[in-house]
Amino acid sequence: MGSKWRKLKTTLATNLCVFVTVDAEDYSSPHSGGFSGDVLLSPAPVSRPASPRLRLSKSLNRSSKKTCTICLASMKRGEGQAIFTAECAHSFHFQCIASNVKHGNQICPVCRAKWKEVPLQGPTNAGPPLGRTRINPVNWSHDNPVMTLLRPIPPRPNSPRHAAALITPTEPTIFNDDEPLDLKLTNKTSLENSNLKRVSVKTYTEVQAVPRFSSVDDFTVLIHLKAPAPAVNSLIANGGTNIAEGLRKGAKVMEDRRENNPVGSIILLSDGQDTYTVNRSSNSGGRKNPLNYELLVPQSIHCGNGNLGNKIPVHAFGFGSDHDASSMHSISEISGGTFSFIETESVIQDAFAQCIGGLLSVVVKDARVIVESVNPDVVIGSLKAGSYKSHVMAGGKSGCVDVGDLYADEERDFLVSVNVPKELTFNETCLLQVRCCYTDLLTKETVNLKSVNVTIKRPESLVQELVSVEVDRQKNRLQAAEAMVQARTAAEEGDLAQAIHTLENCRRVLSETVSAKSGDRLCVALDAELKEMQERMTSRKMYEESGRAYILSGLSSHSWQRATARGDSTDSSSLVRAYQTPSMVELLSRSQASLLGSPSVQRSVRPIWSFASPKPR
């Protein structure tokens, strides 16, 4: 046993991975420290000299790849992933190769050599199962680069357990194998710089001035938010063919996390309909019973359950013409996620890249906007916030919008309707006070921004009334979204002609607005999108195959003010590319470059300036 223990120590000194086989009679050795069976370690550097007998050749070290050939990601130490080195000296991420061999495959993906021993994952919450040993050296912290793994003890040739060694392990009862997300600030300068990167709040009034002796019953104020630059990367994704079961498992993974990282999402891709949970039967009159899509979403991730502190949005992707767009859209709305329509296989990667580009750039959590009337004669009539939860208090003196998470450089716009009273004394009237609070994802601190006052000038008379393009632009967005809802309702009732007429009428109204006449790009995009919807409603078959999904993905995008994929929206030549952030564009560019087979060949993805951001007039 002494020589075997020396081999293990030598391994730690040479940064190699070796297998140390321990006989049954050696288990009681005082040097083992509880080590047994077949162990795999990804060790940290140790100053003890290495034995030449176990040292790999320098040429092999130089030629070894630093990339996992399964997931194509790097395999550098300190990245929070265990590394498995096989008998043939090829290395992989432990989770990648464990997933690759769990069905009995014992062939190296690189050199096709047949392995005698393979990695096998098991539950991490209980003690070591029969035939396995948990390695946890004394005085080694959980942050030590030497990873703790579970490995099967190689059975003897005549052992009845030989056939069972390759049996797929059962699903763990607790999913708690995630890695911590370290966001500690390293010095005072970083802290000072982080304080400068805060959400910005701006307000715009429908017009700059109202005559002093006049009053307005329905006056619109725009509240504009913009998130700071990127600060954190985090993503958890899951999905399944049985939609309800896939979401249940995804929710359980999120609930069982050992390291409850502040950002988490579920990504769901489906090309069919759920036939296990949703009842699609018809009543006695032959009409289909209303479908309750809430049954597909676990209660723990319902957006309306008061779980703001543990919100887990489901970003749904409907692929092809056979998926159930209504259920996928409902799932995303219930959980607070988005719905994207992937029409062809060629845009799957781009659609995912755009979504993940946003998820990897979350910088603001649990944002909330509070609006208060500061004038005794001013009353808040309504808060138009799309799918975001909003509330106007009784009496109309205050209201709030729960914004939730924001991606880096992402923007939000909310319209507040108030009345403007007569002003007999001053040259201006203060209407509202706007405040914003949120959790900074980098510092974990609650940030309360300085309040912003909304005022308008009150001259005795106006020579020319200047309409705010910023406010008019957002009115057009809401009007287009309302037209989409009405058109979809008509189409579902079988009246495609009325649906097309509704969209056409909205296009005509938008073309006559101030922002459309000034060439505003959001208005151009809205018109292109409405026209595309009309073309997808020319027949019942076309609507069933793609029209419904296209409309629902558009509604999801405009109601959350977040980019979704639909049609050619991820292509650089498309006009329908609203709400893309720089992080989304960057990952989308990398995706499109990789599809061409060479990073040096870039398909053009033009930088996107947000449609919500104010532009010079």
Side-chain angles (χ1 to χ4, degrees):
M1 178 61 198
S3 62
K4 294 168 184 175
W5 175 237
R6 284 194 299 273
K7 289 181 182 180
L8 178 60
K9 291 190 292 182
T10 304
T11 301
L12 298 178
T14 56
N15 280 331
L16 302 177
C17 293
V18 298
F19 301 97
V20 183
T21 304
V22 181
D23 298 329
E25 59 269 23
D26 291 331
Y27 284 144
S28 60
S29 172
H31 299 287
S32 64
F35 289 24
S36 66
D38 193 7
V39 298
L40 174 64
L41 299 178
S42 178
V46 180
S47 59
R48 190 183 303 271
S51 170
R53 292 178 301 161
L54 293 180
R55 190 172 294 158
L56 289 182
S57 67
K58 293 183 179 179
S59 60
L60 179 59
N61 262 341
R62 287 194 297 267
S63 62
S64 62
K65 302 264 184 199
K66 296 301 181 181
T67 301
C68 174
T69 56
I70 297 177
C71 69
L72 302 182
S74 65
M75 292 193 300
K76 296 180 181 178
R77 286 184 174 83
E79 292 183 342
Q81 296 200 54
I83 299 174
F84 170 81
T85 300
E87 307 153 46
C88 56
H90 290 118
S91 299
F92 313 87
H93 287 135
F94 180 81
Q95 290 184 346
C96 295
I97 195 62
S99 176
N100 190 59
V101 304
K102 70 179 181 180
H103 297 294
N105 181 19
Q106 293 179 268
I107 304 298
C108 175
V110 178
C111 65
R112 314 305 295 172
K114 187 173 182 179
W115 294 338
K116 297 179 181 179
E117 300 167 11
V118 296
L120 186 63
Q121 281 185 308
T124 60
N125 60 304
L130 182 63
R132 301 180 189 177
T133 298
R134 189 179 189 93
I135 308 303
N136 193 8
V138 180
N139 296 329
W140 284 6
S141 68
H142 294 289
D143 296 329
N144 195 293
V146 182
M147 305 303 296
T148 300
L149 302 177
L150 287 173
R151 287 277 304 181
I153 298 176
R156 290 181 170 84
N158 298 327
S159 171
R161 289 190 299 166
H162 181 70
L166 299 177
I167 295 178
T168 304
T170 59
E171 179 180 302
T173 56
I174 296 181
F175 299 91
N176 64 349
D177 59 345
D178 59 308
E179 298 296 333
L181 182 64
D182 188 7
L183 296 175
K184 295 180 181 179
L185 294 176
T186 56
N187 51 50
K188 182 178 180 182
T189 303
S190 299
L191 181 59
E192 292 174 350
N193 291 337
S194 68
N195 289 334
L196 298 177
K197 298 179 180 180
R198 292 188 171 183
V199 173
S200 64
V201 180
K202 294 183 179 180
T203 60
Y204 302 87
T205 56
E206 186 174 353
V207 293
Q208 295 180 355
V210 174
R212 180 180 300 179
F213 303 109
S214 301
S215 63
V216 181
D217 294 331
D218 188 8
F219 187 81
T220 303
V221 176
L222 169 65
I223 301 174
H224 176 79
L225 304 182
K226 183 172 182 179
V232 61
N233 295 334
S234 178
L235 172 67
I236 294 178
N238 201 359
T241 53
N242 180 339
I243 294 178
E245 178 63 19
L247 290 177
R248 182 204 64 79
K249 186 176 296 184
K252 181 171 176 56
V253 170
M254 304 302 285
E255 293 168 2
D256 292 346
R257 289 179 294 174
R258 179 175 65 244
E259 300 290 343
N260 192 10
N261 295 335
V263 180
S265 298
I266 296 175
I267 292 181
L268 172 66
L269 172 66
S270 174
D271 61 353
Q273 302 185 10
D274 185 280
T275 57
Y276 294 86
T277 308
V278 177
N279 181 15
R280 301 178 183 276
S281 61
S282 302
N283 57 28
S284 57
R287 296 175 61 90
K288 291 185 178 180
N289 293 318
L291 302 180
N292 184 10
Y293 294 119
E294 290 190 3
L295 297 176
L296 297 173
V297 184
Q299 288 294 322
S300 60
I301 59 177
H302 273 231
C303 185
N305 280 359
N307 297 329
L308 277 179
N310 194 32
K311 181 181 174 183
I312 305 173
V314 177
H315 297 282
F317 291 80
F319 174 57
S321 59
D322 294 331
H323 79 277
D324 188 347
S326 297
S327 68
M328 299 293 279
H329 177 259
S330 297
I331 289 171
S332 63
E333 286 291 306
I334 292 170
S335 64
T338 57
F339 167 59
S340 293
F341 170 41
I342 303 176
E343 194 165 13
T344 61
E345 183 179 352
S346 60
V347 298
I348 289 181
Q349 179 170 306
D350 288 350
F352 272 76
Q354 177 176 268
C355 178
I356 294 174
L359 296 176
L360 293 178
S361 66
V362 177
V363 292
V364 171
K365 191 171 180 64
D366 301 334
R368 167 175 278 202
V369 175
I370 301 98
V371 183
E372 297 174 324
S373 171
V374 293
N375 189 307
D377 297 323
V378 173
V379 177
I380 300 174
S382 64
L383 261 172
K384 298 178 181 179
S387 293
Y388 293 99
K389 183 180 178 181
S390 61
H391 180 66
V392 177
M393 304 301 177
K397 303 306 293 183
S398 64
C400 65
V401 180
D402 292 325
V403 183
D405 299 349
L406 288 176
Y407 301 158
D409 300 301
E410 199 169 35
E411 303 175 14
R412 293 290 179 270
D413 292 284
F414 307 110
L415 294 179
V416 184
S417 177
V418 298
N419 69 299
V420 179
K422 294 181 180 180
E423 181 60 66
L424 304 178
T425 308
F426 302 102
N427 293 327
E428 66 177 19
T429 300
C430 187
L431 302 176
L432 301 171
Q433 187 177 79
V434 181
R435 296 185 290 114
C436 179
C437 61
Y438 63 93
T439 300
D440 188 303
L441 208 56
L442 185 62
T443 64
K444 306 294 193 305
E445 295 177 352
T446 299
V447 179
N448 292 286
L449 298 178
K450 184 179 179 181
S451 59
V452 177
N453 291 330
V454 180
T455 61
I456 58 171
K457 298 177 181 179
R458 305 305 299 271
E460 292 186 4
S461 61
L462 287 178
V463 178
Q464 182 180 4
E465 187 177 68
L466 297 177
V467 177
S468 169
V469 175
E470 290 80 10
V471 176
D472 190 64
R473 176 192 297 124
Q474 299 306 320
K475 281 187 172 182
N476 289 345
R477 174 179 62 84
L478 293 177
Q479 189 169 359
E482 182 61 30
M484 294 176 194
V485 172
Q486 295 175 1
R488 186 209 170 198
T489 301
E492 295 295 339
E493 294 175 353
D495 194 348
L496 291 178
Q498 179 59 40
I500 294 175
H501 174 74
T502 300
L503 297 175
E504 179 64 31
N505 184 62
C506 181
R507 291 179 61 196
R508 179 184 58 79
V509 173
L510 293 184
S511 66
E512 299 173 355
T513 61
V514 173
S515 54
K517 291 179 179 179
S518 66
D520 179 73
R521 289 190 58 180
L522 176 57
C523 292
V524 174
L526 289 174
D527 182 76
E529 189 173 4
L530 293 171
K531 181 180 179 181
E532 180 71 18
M533 292 177 182
Q534 286 181 277
E535 295 175 352
R536 292 175 185 264
M537 289 183 170
T538 53
S539 68
R540 191 69 198 175
K541 180 181 179 181
M542 184 171 292
Y543 175 74
E544 295 286 349
E545 290 181 350
S546 67
R548 178 187 292 114
Y550 192 93
I551 289 181
L552 289 175
S553 60
L555 283 173
S556 177
S557 179
H558 294 303
S559 63
W560 292 110
Q561 299 180 58
R562 184 160 280 173
T564 63
R566 55 195 181 280
D568 62 351
S569 63
T570 58
D571 193 86
S572 61
S573 61
S574 174
L575 294 173
V576 187
R577 293 180 295 150
Y579 315 116
Q580 284 182 339
T581 66
S583 298
M584 292 180 180
V585 174
E586 179 185 358
L587 205 59
L588 187 56
S589 299
R590 291 166 57 185
S591 168
Q592 294 176 343
S594 68
L595 290 175
L596 293 178
S598 172
S600 60
V601 182
Q602 297 280 342
R603 278 169 54 187
S604 173
V605 179
R606 294 193 299 267
I608 305 301
W609 51 265
S610 170
F611 291 125
S613 60
K615 295 294 174 294
R617 287 180 286 179

